[in-house]
Amino acid sequence: MSIRHGLLALLERGPRYGSQLRTEFESRTGSTWPLNVGQVYTTLARLERDGLVAPDGEDAAGHTLYAITDTGRTELREWYERPVDRANPPRDELSIKLAMAVGAPGVDIRAVIQSQRHATIKAMQDYTRLKVTALAAVESGQSRERDDVAWLLVLEQLIFQTEAEARWLDHSEARLVRLSLPADRRAGEAEPPQATAAESPAPTTTTQPRTARSRRG
């Protein structure tokens, strides 16, 4: 999750202080990725070091405000235009867990899969209920449309993600079942047996095809 670019996107709308950025970030993403103030200020310090933001005075309450710089706007535009890099995918705890469970002594990997499947389906159902609420808020026109549309997109991504995870768990279980079969049975499933001569149907008596003349006769 690029907190760095998320904060730049919020600062593009105007100067803000740390707690305000945290609140707006969580509102935009529906608190899917909660932040603490320490993370925000650490990220702001790095952005300032890199010349992407700069202090911009204080508000009436004495909070230090930060503003995006021209360099920061260029960085933000490039981030929007640049596809997300999949060359180094983030570590996925579930994938690592199943990889380690394969062949681990005393671990029933199918039970691990079954437990995760229940949790994944429940998460999918929860996300779907939240989507219904968010969609109703957007369509009613009685909401902060920018934040609710953003939250709706996040929810739909989470729904698609959990659907894909459930399919992958089903596939993994089927794969494990198949690999646990004896080798000769796997071979039999992979290539249907050919009929032997004894099993082949007896030849039938062939007849001459009916010609136009025989049909007329």
Side-chain angles (χ1 to χ4, degrees):
M1 178 61 202
S2 182
I3 299 172
R4 173 187 179 93
H5 292 98
L7 297 186
L8 284 176
L10 294 173
L11 288 172
E12 191 179 34
R13 300 170 60 187
R16 281 158 171 72
Y17 56 89
S19 297
Q20 188 178 12
L21 286 167
R22 182 192 66 174
T23 299
E24 292 189 17
F25 183 94
E26 293 185 351
S27 176
R28 186 70 63 87
T29 61
S31 298
T32 304
W33 300 283
L35 300 178
N36 59 56
V37 174
Q39 281 180 289
V40 173
Y41 279 107
T42 298
T43 304
L44 284 172
R46 291 171 180 167
L47 291 171
E48 183 181 357
R49 177 199 64 193
D50 296 338
L52 304 179
V53 305
D56 191 46
E58 297 180 349
D59 66 3
H63 299 116
T64 300
L65 299 173
Y66 290 86
I68 191 170
T69 64
D70 290 340
T71 304
R73 287 190 178 87
T74 299
E75 169 69 19
L76 183 61
R77 296 273 80 76
E78 291 177 352
W79 179 62
Y80 282 137
E81 296 168 1
R82 185 172 60 246
V84 174
D85 183 14
R86 299 297 184 193
N88 296 301
R91 295 181 183 89
D92 180 79
E93 182 180 357
L94 178 57
S95 299
I96 295 173
K97 181 188 290 188
L98 292 191
M100 296 300 142
V102 172
V107 176
D108 183 349
I109 190 170
R110 294 182 66 183
V112 174
I113 291 174
Q114 185 67 12
S115 175
Q116 183 62 48
R117 183 186 289 112
H118 286 312
T120 299
I121 292 173
K122 183 181 183 304
M124 191 189 313
Q125 293 168 342
D126 291 341
Y127 293 146
T128 301
R129 282 192 291 269
L130 289 171
K131 175 186 172 181
V132 171
T133 302
L135 188 59
V138 170
E139 292 180 343
S140 69
Q142 299 177 353
S143 64
R144 293 180 298 173
E145 186 172 348
R146 184 197 296 264
D147 285 350
D148 284 316
V149 170
W151 174 220
L152 182 61
L153 293 178
V154 170
L155 278 173
E156 289 175 334
Q157 191 272 343
L158 291 171
I159 291 169
F160 291 142
Q161 189 176 56
T162 50
E163 287 176 345
E165 182 173 283
R167 290 197 300 271
W168 176 68
L169 288 168
D170 290 343
H171 167 80
S172 298
E173 185 172 35
R175 172 74 71 190
L176 290 167
V177 168
R178 185 174 184 279
L179 291 177
S180 67
L181 296 175
D184 56 348
R185 186 173 172 185
R186 291 202 304 270
E189 289 186 354
E191 184 176 348
Q194 300 295 322
T196 62
E199 296 170 335
S200 300
T204 57
T205 304
T206 59
T207 57
Q208 295 296 326
R210 297 177 64 190
T211 62
R213 176 177 298 178
S214 65
R215 287 199 297 273
R216 288 197 298 269

